[in-house]
Amino acid sequence: MKKGIHPESYRLVAFKDMSNEDIFIAKSTIETKETIEVEGVEYPLVKLEISRTSHPYYTGKSKLIDTAGRIDKFKSKYAKFQK
């Protein structure tokens, strides 16, 4: 490994999966302004849309999350092109 090219500011960070509220702690150099208390200890917080606890590949379950109604917008926008 080359010396001096890797960050040295690793610290424990809480990652929160927003789709199922799962929280896990890992070392990271990511910068964040939010914090969260887990088991009496305060950690910097990183919010994730999807993680290993909610991803269909890892869970074996397929689920469609359409919070913005994008599928309905697409269907209504291109409905005029159907024959």
Side-chain angles (χ1 to χ4, degrees):
M1 243 179 7
K2 287 186 177 181
K3 294 186 188 265
I5 63 169
H6 298 285
E8 295 186 17
S9 60
Y10 286 99
R11 68 195 188 293
L12 291 176
V13 176
F15 292 88
K16 183 175 183 180
D17 186 333
M18 301 308 289
S19 65
N20 64 4
E21 303 295 317
D22 181 51
I23 298 173
F24 61 94
I25 310 295
K27 283 189 172 184
S28 178
T29 60
I30 193 165
E31 294 296 324
T32 180
K33 293 180 181 178
E34 296 181 80
T35 61
I36 190 170
E37 188 172 317
V38 179
E39 297 178 0
V41 180
E42 191 169 320
Y43 297 100
L45 174 65
V46 176
K47 294 179 179 177
L48 305 172
E49 290 185 30
I50 196 163
S51 72
R52 60 181 168 73
T53 60
S54 63
H55 194 283
Y57 179 80
Y58 296 106
T59 61
K61 299 175 186 173
S62 177
K63 73 177 178 182
L64 177 64
I65 301 173
D66 184 27
T67 56
R70 290 179 226 143
I71 295 171
D72 293 330
K73 285 181 189 177
F74 179 84
K75 286 181 180 179
S76 64
K77 183 177 180 179
Y78 291 101
K80 61 185 175 190
F81 296 113
Q82 289 182 346
K83 292 182 181 183

